Structures are given as structure tokens and as C-alpha cells.
Amino acid sequence: GDKLLRQAAERLTYLARQDDCVARTGGDEFVIVVGKAQGKVQLEALASNVLHSLNRCFYVDEYSIYLSASIGIACYPGDGTTVEALMQSADLAMYRAKAKGKNTHTFFTEDLTVAANDRMALETELFRAMDSAAFEVHYQPKIDIGNGAVAGCEALVRWKRADGTWIAPSVFIPLAEETGLVRRLDMFVLRKACRQQREWREQGLGNVHMSVNMSGRSIIAETFVDDVLDVLGREDMRPEHLGMEITETAFMSNMSEASRAIAALSEQGIQIYLDDFGTGYSSLYYLHTMPIASLKIDKSFIDGINAPFNASNELVKTVLTLASGLGMSTVAEGVETREQIDFLANNGCGIIQGYIFSQALSGSDFATYLKSSAASIAAVMA
Ligand code: C2E
Ligand code: CA
Ligand code: CA
């Protein structure tokens, strides 16, 4: 590593001119201070020279190594009048360059600050929301097309802001994961979902199978399994009626801790679903050794069913064969067309979730749906 850094530094120094200054400011970060006032065109040329120079092969001992870089550019005085301000602007631009896909450069612009501030504001709001009643849980039915009945539901969290607008979980869940708030959020959803399951039971709607999503950070918490059992106890709910959806990525990134939690949950009778299956890096070995009850085939594959020039059909078939061979069930998510249902049914996938049957519904709307589900499912299948 040190040898590589030294060689990279040499190449950068070679590109620098007399009034420029090259510095390494940390880990793998370098700064070039361009001494003589230069226009955008010259700075762009320098950036592309830097990229070309780093892209050429490095020889370190017996290794050949290729590097890429992300470059952020800030100019005095427009983007900052102090060293700190300029560095911060360059940093923001660099993150944007990274997000664009690396090996490119980005000039600082005001909207980068706005984006960074927005994110910070959202983070603060998320912290506050945890203490208020800003989160709701909605329930999306899973349909067993074999018998035309509701097989259960998935709890999906919703965030209502103070101004009445909704923020999608795809926006705030990643933020909550970064800040660690996701543990509190997941436990909140679990409690709420189990309480709802009990309410439906008390209304005579039977034991609805309830699945909740759990982030990787939640399941590796030390007291996680005890906390879950505690919630079940409070709501007088049997573990067989609870499922947990864990993404492949969450599972693979903390394999040993996650495995322990999954084994303990499953021993208690809670079903484990591998969520977004096919989008991460599941190892077949772990599929085989972990007590996973069900694979959820990601919407991106379902979208590709019967699309022209698409390999989705084969992929979906293969996943269904794999699951059945390993004794797991399968759930297809994001099903929107009758064509997709037919393909899935013909290839052995019995549980369907998607807008074709219903979106996620509030607790009371779900109860209404349950009461007339036989008719509405039959209508879709007719
Ligand atoms: P997911 O677990 O893959 O959930 C499925 C998402 O697809 C949901 O989006 C659902 O509303 C949407 N969906 C279902 N059927 C259809 C369909 O036919 N068409 C289309 N276009 N979309 C469909 P949602 O509710 O926005 O949730 C997004 C993601 O946020 C979830 O993806 C899940 O990863 C995460 N999430 C939601 N609630 C929680 C939670 O309580 N805890 C954690 N850790 N993550 C959650
Ligand atoms: Ca899910
Ligand atoms: Ca998914």
C-alpha cells in the first residue's frame, strides 16, 4: 500500500507545475493546489491528465495494479474564501463525482451544498420523528394463488412529515441505517405490526401471518432475539405467525452475527425470508446451511418476465427450482400483471405479492380487504 501511494504521489507531482502544490491529506486522498489562476478549460485538462496518469498500470513488486480516482474541483474565491471552505467545497464535489460512477471529475456548484444541507435537515427531522407519532405501518397482502386466499401480509413503514407529505422508505431507511436509528424504527414497526395482528385476531379475522422487514443492523443487536420474543409475549402472538424479511446484503455483510440471530429466531418458530433475492451476493453454501424458510424473488426479475430479449424467465425458473430443491417456499414481489402471475404459477411459485392484488393498506383497510378478499382475488384470477 505504501509503495503504491508513493508511486501515485510521484505521478501527481509530475503533472504539477512550478506554482502548484501536491499533498496527501489522508488515506487515499490527495489535493492539488493550482497556483496560477486558471480557467475551467485548463482545470478540466489537468483533471483528465490526472485520471489518465492514474489509470496507467502501477507495478508494485510482483503486482500490476490499476487505479481510478474521483476528483472534486473548487475555485477561489467563488467556492470559498478560506482554506477550510475551499476544501469543503472540493470534498462535496468529489463525493458527487464518486456518486456519478468514479473516474471522473466534478466542479463544485451551489446545489451540492443544498443537497448536503437537505440531507442533514432530513437526518435531524428523522431523529425528531422517532419521538413523535410520525411513523405509520401499512400492510400489503400476500396471496396464495393455489387456494385464492390471503396467505399473510408484509408490514411496510410510512413516514408522514409535519407538513403532511409522505417520505418513501427508500429515502429514509438508508439514512436510518447509517445513523443507527433503524434499530429503534424496526422495533417500533415490529411492536406495531404485532399489536395489529392481535387486533385483527380479536376482530375475528383469524391469525394473519405477519412479516416485518429487519435491517442487518437490527438483527445483530445483542438483545435482538429476546426483544422479539418479548414483543410476541406481550401481544400473545405465536412465533409461527411471524416472519422476518432480511435482505441478502444485510445477511452477507454480517454473516456470523446474522447467522446466529437467524438460527435462534428460526428455532423459536419464526420464519426467515431472504428479501430482494437475486440482487445481492448470496452464497449457495449459506442458502443450504441457513434455516431460511422462503426466498422473495426481487421485483426487478418479475418486471422482466416475458419482456423481449430478456433472460428473466430463465432466472426466475432457476430460482424456483433451486428453492424447491432446498425445501424453501418462494414469494414473488412486485407482481403487476396477469401474465406474470400465470408464468409464476406455471413454474411453481404459489405466493404472490404486488399491486395486481393490492398496495399496502392501513390496518383498518386491510381488515376490510380481508373480509372481501375471496371475491377480489377471484376477480383478478378470472
Ligand atoms: P421491500 O421489502 O422489497 O418491499 C417491497 C416494496 O415494493 C414496498 O415499497 C412495496 O410497497 C413495493 N411494491 C409492492 N408491490 C409492488 C408492485 O406491484 N409494484 C411496485 N412498483 N411496487 C410494489 P416500500 O413500502 O416503498 O418499501 C421500500 C423498501 O423499504 C422495502 O423494500 C424495504 O426494504 C424497506 N422497508 C420498508 N419498511 C421497512 C421497515 O419497517 N424496516 C426496514 N428495515 N426496512 C423497511
Ligand atoms: Ca420486504
Ligand atoms: Ca424487494
Side-chain angles (χ1 to χ4, degrees), residues 123-134:
E123 215 171 288
T124 314
E125 214 182 315
L126 185 62
F127 265 99
R128 290 214 191 94
M130 291 304 299
D131 298 319
S132 65

Side-chain angles (χ1 to χ4, degrees), residues 363-377:
S364 58
D365 287 348
F366 189 88
T368 311
Y369 180 86
L370 269 182
K371 288 174 196 154
S372 59
S373 61
S376 60
I377 294 168

Side-chain angles (χ1 to χ4, degrees), residues 34 40 128 256 333 380:
V34 178
K40 199 174 167 186
R128 290 214 191 94
S256 59
E333 66 177 15
V380 171

Side-chain angles (χ1 to χ4, degrees), residues 47-56 66-72 94 96-106:
S48 94
N49 286 340
V50 167
L51 291 178
H52 279 130
S53 141
L54 292 177
N55 291 159
R56 275 189 293 114
Y66 292 88
L67 295 185
S68 66
S70 303
I71 304 175
M94 187 266 288
R96 176 55 59 91
K98 241 185 210 171
K100 280 200 301 194
K102 298 196 175 142
N103 219 35
T104 183
H105 71 268
T106 301

Side-chain angles (χ1 to χ4, degrees), residues 33-47:
V33 182
V34 178
K36 281 250 167 64
Q38 290 203 349
K40 199 174 167 186
V41 177
Q42 284 103 323
L43 290 171
E44 269 182 328
L46 175 60

Side-chain angles (χ1 to χ4, degrees), residues 140 154-158 168-170 173 177 182 185-186 189 212-215 218 245 247 275-276 296 298-299 333-336 353-356 358-360:
Q140 187 177 34
E154 174 178 6
L156 293 158
V157 69
R158 302 286 179 254
S170 51
I173 294 286
E177 279 181 335
V182 77
L185 189 64
D186 280 346
V189 173
V212 290
N213 292 284
M214 281 291 157
S215 119
S218 298
E245 305 196 356
T247 64
D275 211 348
D276 296 351
K296 287 197 85 172
D298 192 65
K299 179 175 190 303
E333 66 177 15
V335 177
E336 293 179 345
Q353 188 184 345
Y355 291 173
I356 185 148
S358 172
Q359 303 197 352

Side-chain angles (χ1 to χ4, degrees), residues 99-304:
K100 280 200 301 194
K102 298 196 175 142
N103 219 35
T104 183
H105 71 268
T106 301
F107 280 89
F108 173 80
T109 50
E110 268 313 311
D111 61 305
L112 292 181
T113 318
V114 175
N117 287 342
D118 279 358
R119 212 186 112 88
M120 258 165 56
L122 197 65
E123 215 171 288
T124 314
E125 214 182 315
L126 185 62
F127 265 99
R128 290 214 191 94
M130 291 304 299
D131 298 319
S132 65
F135 293 102
E136 270 186 30
V137 183
H138 284 194
Y139 306 90
Q140 187 177 34
K142 295 179 181 174
I143 309 300
D144 182 338
I145 46 171
N147 60 12
V150 175
C153 66
E154 174 178 6
L156 293 158
V157 69
R158 302 286 179 254
W159 179 12
K160 195 173 191 174
R161 295 172 96 162
D163 64 4
T165 56
W166 292 90
I167 308 185
S170 51
V171 176
F172 66 86
I173 294 286
L175 207 60
E177 279 181 335
E178 275 171 46
T179 53
L181 275 176
V182 77
R183 284 190 187 172
R184 277 171 67 193
L185 189 64
D186 280 346
M187 288 314 287
F188 165 84
V189 173
L190 177 74
R191 278 195 302 274
K192 190 112 178 172
C194 291
R195 202 172 310 144
Q196 182 64 70
Q197 201 270 3
R198 177 192 196 135
E199 265 175 44
W200 289 332
R201 211 182 327 145
E202 288 168 355
Q203 292 165 18
L205 296 168
N207 261 309
V208 179
H209 189 273
M210 176 67 72
S211 293
V212 290
N213 292 284
M214 281 291 157
S215 119
R217 286 189 75 151
S218 298
I219 60 169
I220 63 171
E222 217 163 293
T223 57
F224 178 65
V225 177
D226 291 336
D227 293 346
V228 172
L229 295 177
D230 184 59
V231 173
L232 286 175
R234 274 168 207 272
E235 302 306 335
D236 201 16
M237 186 171 158
R238 296 177 61 85
E240 300 88 271
H241 298 131
L242 181 65
M244 296 217 166
E245 305 196 356
I246 299 165
T247 64
E248 273 185 293
T249 331
F251 171 60
M252 296 305 284
S253 59
N254 270 305
M255 204 130 52
S256 59
E257 289 98 331
S259 304
R260 222 172 301 136
I262 286 173
L265 292 170
S266 155
E267 218 161 275
Q268 296 290 333
I270 296 167
Q271 280 109 312
I272 305 295
Y273 294 77
L274 209 48
D275 211 348
D276 296 351
F277 185 74
T279 61
Y281 306 94
S282 284
S283 137
L284 292 179
Y285 174 73
Y286 282 97
L287 268 191
H288 167 67
T289 53
M290 290 310 304
I292 293 160
S294 187
L295 301 182
K296 287 197 85 172
I297 308 173
D298 192 65
K299 179 175 190 303
S300 54
F301 299 109
I302 306 300
D303 285 343

